[in-house]
Amino acid sequence: MHSFNTVELFYLLRIKIGEKEVQALTDYIGAHVEEKIAALKDTMDTKEDVYQVKEEIQGVRVEIKDQKAELLKWMIVLFTPFYIGMIVFLIKQFL
């Protein structure tokens, strides 16, 4: 596939559709490409952005680890009386 620059496109299409029309078309294509590039530049991440996201992910992992330990503690605190009660109930039923 051959890629064209704006000047080559201008000279190739000038014969077919006329000089004014080709000028308008190449201007439109150039403006459209510039808009797309500007939009992509706004969404591209820099190294600093990537490092900041990695730090935030690391912070979230630490918080999840802390919450996991807290959840385990509360499960033991809340369900231990239940388990003790079930064991006492079963022992009374079979004795």
Side-chain angles (χ1 to χ4, degrees):
M1 183 175 169
H2 181 71
S3 64
F4 295 102
N5 64 22
T6 309
V7 175
E8 290 174 339
L9 182 65
F10 179 81
Y11 285 119
L12 287 174
L13 292 177
R14 181 177 62 161
I15 300 166
K16 299 271 184 181
I17 61 173
E19 193 167 325
K20 287 182 183 178
E21 291 82 4
V22 173
Q23 183 65 41
L25 179 64
T26 54
D27 290 344
Y28 172 76
I29 291 171
H32 188 68
V33 168
E34 300 251 344
E35 287 175 10
K36 291 288 184 181
I37 290 173
L40 286 175
K41 282 183 181 179
D42 292 339
T43 60
M44 290 176 59
D45 293 331
T46 61
K47 286 184 180 180
E48 293 83 20
D49 294 337
V50 172
Y51 290 135
Q52 185 179 13
V53 169
K54 285 182 180 181
E55 289 174 3
E56 289 177 16
I57 290 173
Q58 187 63 29
V60 169
R61 286 182 178 160
V62 170
E63 289 178 23
I64 290 173
K65 185 178 177 183
D66 293 342
Q67 291 298 321
K68 183 178 175 183
E70 189 73 20
L71 180 64
L72 184 61
K73 179 183 82 173
W74 279 105
M75 284 178 56
I76 291 171
V77 167
L78 294 176
F79 287 110
T80 301
F82 172 74
Y83 292 131
I84 292 171
M86 288 301 294
I87 292 170
V88 169
F89 173 76
L90 291 173
I91 290 173
K92 282 186 175 183
Q93 287 296 325
F94 292 113
L95 292 180

